[in-house]
């Protein structure tokens, strides 16, 4: 009997979630339950954060049929598909011109077999097919945009078997973002194919306030670049992107996610410790995991990061709550993500240049100090036994330690 009461008390304590920012309550009275209600979702897709690959970070405008086929082959063969990477997305520069009736065509120099055949190839590998367009007159790479052709473009994508559209924001002039994205969302619905909709307007008009019924993910920042921190022209280093995306945690939930941009893991600009931090933070923030490297030629070290299933499971947790920072002491940070099983994932992040000992107190994670929890290190793949009160570890410069606490 006493044990039953203790168990019930513990269950109640685990159910307590971190406090919600007042701004959220002001703007979205329904937030408190990150809802799985289909009426609050755009299209029933992306119940957990989308996973896949996109051509931009590695190949930029140099896309063609061979690159996309080789990528699909690799994802189907190297364990990525089994780990959950699903969408193969061609970013900018696949476009040819519009035909006499205004329908968009593919660039036949780069895609001689056409996008219908490429989509069939990707589907035959057990994967899904993604594409890119823009709400303005031109894409960021100067190809034809969808403005004024939204319904025709959606029909064309459906004919090609497209499953995912990333929709950019270049050359939009004075266009209103909510109107522009809602128009394309309506066009996709009218196409008869259920297409995941990824908004890419860089967070300019705060899509987290209005896009949850329009699309499945929205960029919260400018472009990522393969550097650790800082602004580099129009792009931002990984740690800077994290700081812009973190405060938006209350807005993410099943069907609609904050998107801090695609992964740079494996592109060569960072150390493996930094790439592990990058991947861990994306998982902790329930971000879409869209690989952006050459997966056909990646090293074993890169593969070990992208295929860490224990970290992927943090990202894909069905509670769908974005984790966030709970404390910061100089360059030492503690983050937490509540999990569907009532447990927590904690992340110790050392942003400094020297090794640091970082401590996560249970109370800061929303747990009673006295509770003893089974713990597992998700990068060492090692059980840590049962812990009470706190967890402390030495963390390498720019590195992380990620621990799952099980109820
Ligand atoms: C913008 C987007 C990028 C990429 C390029 C393509 O910069 O934010 O993610 O799609 O355009 O030109």
């Amino acid at each position: 009997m006493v044990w039953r009461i203790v168990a019930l008390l513990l269950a109640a304590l685990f159910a307590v979630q971190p406090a919600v920012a007042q701004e959220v309550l002001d703007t979205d009275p329904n937030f408190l339950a990150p809802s799985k209600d289909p009426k609050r979702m755009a299209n029933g897709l992306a119940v957990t954060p989308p996973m896949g690959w996109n051509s931009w970070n590695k190949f930029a405008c140099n896309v063609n049929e061979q690159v996309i086929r080789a990528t699909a082959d690799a994802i189907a063969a190297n364990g990525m598909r089994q780990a959950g990477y699903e969408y193969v997305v061609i970013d900018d520069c696949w476009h040819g011109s519009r035909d006499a009736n205004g329908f968009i065509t593919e660039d036949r120099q780069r895609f001689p077999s056409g996008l219908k055949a490429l989509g069939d190839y990707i589907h035959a590998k057990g994967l899904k097919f993604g594409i890119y367009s823009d709400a303005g007159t031109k894409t960021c790479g100067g190809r034809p945009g969808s403005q004024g052709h939204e319904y025709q473009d959606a029909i064309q994508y459906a004919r090609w078997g497209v499953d995912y559209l990333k929709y950019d924001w270049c050359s939009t002039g004075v266009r209103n973002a909510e109107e522009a994205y809602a128009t394309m969302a309506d066009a996709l619905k009218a196409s008869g194919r259920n297409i995941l909709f990824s908004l890419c307007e860089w967070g300019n008009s705060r899509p987290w306030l209005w896009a949850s019924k329009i699309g499945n993910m929205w960029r919260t920042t400018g472009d990522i670049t393969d550097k650790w921190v800082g602004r580099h022209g129009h792009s931002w280093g990984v740690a800077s992107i994290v700081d812009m995306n973190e405060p938006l945690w209350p807005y993410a939930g099943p069907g609609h996610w904050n998107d801090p941009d695609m992964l740079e893991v494996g592109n060569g600009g960072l150390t493996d410790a930094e790439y592990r931090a990058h991947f861990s933070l994306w998982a902790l923030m329930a971000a879409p995991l869209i690989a952006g490297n050459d997966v056909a030629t990646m090293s074993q070290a890169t593969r070990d990061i992208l295929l860490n299933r224990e970290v992927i499971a943090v990202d894909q947790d069905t509670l769908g709550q974005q984790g966030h920072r709970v404390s910061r002491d100089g360059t030492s940070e503690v983050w937490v993500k509540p999990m569907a099983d009532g447990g927590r994932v904690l992340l110790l992040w050392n942003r400094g240049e020297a090794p640091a000992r970082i401590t996560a107190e249970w109370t800061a994670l929303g747990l009673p100090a006295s509770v003893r929890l089974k713990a597992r290190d998700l990068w060492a793949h090692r059980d840590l036994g049962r812990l009470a009160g706190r967890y402390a570890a030495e963390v390498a410069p720019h590195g992380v330690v990620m621990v799952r606490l099980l109820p």
Side-chain angles (χ1 to χ4, degrees):
M1 184 61 189
V2 175
W3 285 114
R4 272 185 71 91
I5 293 171
V6 171
L8 278 171
L9 277 172
L10 277 177
L13 283 163
F14 273 121
V16 174
Q17 301 296 334
V20 175
Q22 191 58 42
E23 191 196 352
V24 178
L25 293 175
D26 292 339
T27 52
D28 184 357
N30 292 328
F31 164 68
L32 269 172
S35 170
K36 290 175 192 156
D37 173 1
K39 289 196 290 297
R40 294 212 36 194
M41 292 199 212
N43 48 22
L45 297 173
V47 174
T48 61
M51 292 179 65
W53 174 90
N54 173 299
S55 53
W56 185 255
N57 283 355
K58 172 69 186 178
F59 297 97
C61 234
N62 302 312
V63 280
N64 58 50
E65 199 167 296
Q66 288 79 8
V67 165
I68 305 300
R69 284 180 186 233
T71 299
D73 292 347
I75 293 173
N78 67 10
M80 287 182 76
R81 185 183 62 195
Q82 286 84 347
Y85 294 90
E86 186 180 21
Y87 294 98
V88 176
V89 184
I90 318 175
D91 206 282
D92 208 347
C93 304
W94 59 262
H95 321 65
S97 48
R98 292 192 178 278
D99 71 15
N101 296 318
F103 283 97
I104 190 70
T105 65
E106 60 279 79
D107 179 335
R108 282 275 172 177
Q109 302 282 312
R110 292 161 180 238
F111 297 91
S113 315
L115 289 195
K116 171 76 174 85
L118 188 54
D120 289 346
Y121 187 86
I122 291 168
H123 290 141
K125 295 270 163 187
L127 298 166
K128 291 185 172 156
F129 179 28
I131 212 170
Y132 160 102
S133 188
D134 186 287
T137 51
K138 284 195 160 115
T139 71
C140 297
R143 305 301 172 114
S146 290
Q147 185 165 5
H149 292 274
E150 290 89 348
Y151 282 76
Q152 276 189 308
D153 285 359
I155 289 169
Q156 187 72 308
Y157 304 155
R159 285 183 188 142
W160 288 336
V162 166
D163 305 296
Y164 178 123
L165 175 66
K166 171 178 169 182
Y167 203 49
D168 214 344
W169 192 240
C170 277
S171 305
T172 44
V174 295
R175 214 171 167 189
N176 172 277
E178 186 171 351
E179 170 279 314
Y181 283 95
T183 300
M184 187 44 111
D186 289 346
L188 292 175
K189 285 210 182 82
S191 79
R193 205 173 158 87
N194 205 6
I195 298 178
L196 190 150
F197 193 29
S198 159
L199 287 71
C200 178
E201 63 76 75
W202 319 310
N204 290 358
S205 18
R206 306 206 288 170
W208 45 90
L209 297 180
W210 47 262
S212 66
K213 293 193 207 69
I214 292 176
N216 304 101
M217 54 197 266
W218 48 79
R219 283 273 297 278
T220 55
T221 72
D223 288 3
I224 197 169
T225 188
D226 192 17
K227 296 192 163 56
W228 180 242
V229 70
R231 185 174 189 159
H232 307 271
H234 292 297
S235 313
W236 301 84
V238 168
S240 303
I241 295 262
V242 169
D243 289 334
M244 293 184 265
N245 194 64
E246 189 273 344
L248 303 172
W249 65 269
Y251 299 99
H256 51 93
W257 308 98
N258 288 313
D259 175 14
D261 207 355
M262 304 165 297
L263 298 166
E264 291 284 7
V265 176
N267 280 333
L270 305 186
T271 65
D272 289 337
E274 289 168 336
Y275 282 138
R276 275 194 292 276
H278 174 16
F279 195 68
S280 303
L281 283 153
W282 261 237
L284 200 102
M285 295 193 295
L289 295 180
I290 309 292
N293 61 317
D294 184 352
V295 295
T297 62
M298 67 183 158
S299 67
Q300 188 59 43
T302 298
R303 190 182 306 238
D304 289 343
I305 297 171
L306 290 176
L307 288 175
N308 184 331
R309 294 225 187 185
E310 297 193 80
V311 174
I312 292 172
V314 175
D315 182 77
Q316 295 292 303
D317 184 65
T318 55
L319 183 63
Q321 189 152 339
Q322 179 173 333
H324 60 109
R325 184 189 289 123
V326 294
S327 71
R328 172 168 26 197
D329 177 9
T331 50
S332 295
E333 298 190 359
V334 178
W335 291 56
V336 68
K337 183 181 199 283
M339 299 288 279
D341 63 9
R344 302 282 190 277
V345 174
L346 69 88
L347 187 78
L348 311 177
W349 185 20
N350 175 11
R351 304 175 73 144
E353 306 303 322
R357 193 168 174 80
I358 305 180
T359 304
E361 297 287 346
W362 272 200
T363 48
L365 310 179
L367 298 168
S370 55
V371 69
R372 286 174 75 79
L373 296 168
K374 241 176 94 183
R376 183 166 169 83
D377 184 319
L378 304 187
W379 284 107
H381 302 294
R382 194 163 58 86
D383 288 332
L384 302 172
R386 283 188 176 272
L387 306 175
R390 63 192 54 77
Y391 180 68
E394 173 101 353
V395 188
H398 295 188
V400 292
V401 168
M402 196 176 201
V403 172
R404 183 158 181 176
L405 302 174
L406 297 146

